[in-house]
Amino acid sequence: MTPDQLVDAMPFARALGVRIDTAGPGEVTGRLDWAPDRCTAGGVLHGGALMALADTLGAACAFLNLPDGASTTTLESKTNFFRGVKAGCVHGTSRPLHAGRTSIVVQTDLHDDTGRRVAQVTQTQAVLRG
């Protein structure tokens, strides 16, 4: 599946403006631009927008680690925020920490344009077998 096809499979991510740049089982990268309509008070990119970026990249990473015929859904997501973003682009990298029979755990690191860590998200995805 191409990066564009992965985003197209998640209409909310497409509407939010999430872009996936690279996608493979070992790593998914993507980004989200700062925009005034994605902000909270003071022109800071909303935490929910950051979480949506991380969830999108993490879900794509989990999907690419599924066995044939399986699907996935998020069971748990934990976010640590480190700094606000008032301009530019947030870049994300998702990597699997565990790809097991019943669950996949993914860590997503978010950085600003200068490489400073903005947030770190760890999510657990269920492996759903049809």
Side-chain angles (χ1 to χ4, degrees):
M1 198 173 242
T2 69
D4 281 340
Q5 289 171 321
L6 287 166
V7 174
D8 286 342
M10 296 177 265
F12 177 74
R14 174 67 69 202
L16 189 61
V18 172
R19 289 172 286 174
I20 294 179
D21 298 316
T22 64
E27 182 177 277
V28 174
T29 64
R31 57 201 148 104
L32 179 66
D33 291 325
W34 178 94
D37 62 339
R38 297 180 187 136
C39 289
T40 186
V44 176
L45 193 61
H46 194 285
L50 294 171
M51 292 171 73
L53 170 61
D55 187 66
T56 299
L57 300 178
C61 187
F63 174 80
L64 293 169
N65 281 280
L66 287 171
D68 288 339
S71 62
T72 186
T73 189
T74 304
L75 289 177
E76 184 268 341
S77 184
K78 184 208 183 297
T79 304
N80 285 71
F81 296 104
F82 301 112
R83 66 180 10 74
V85 175
K86 290 189 170 190
C89 186
V90 177
H91 306 269
T93 302
S94 291
R95 293 184 181 98
L97 298 177
H98 168 77
R101 190 177 55 78
T102 61
S103 67
I104 298 171
V105 179
V106 177
Q107 179 174 298
T108 303
D109 294 300
L110 302 179
H111 294 86
D112 64 17
D113 281 331
T114 66
R116 295 179 302 174
R117 186 182 307 273
V118 172
Q120 185 175 67
V121 178
T122 304
Q123 64 184 248
T124 304
Q125 300 269 24
V127 176
L128 307 173
R129 298 178 186 270

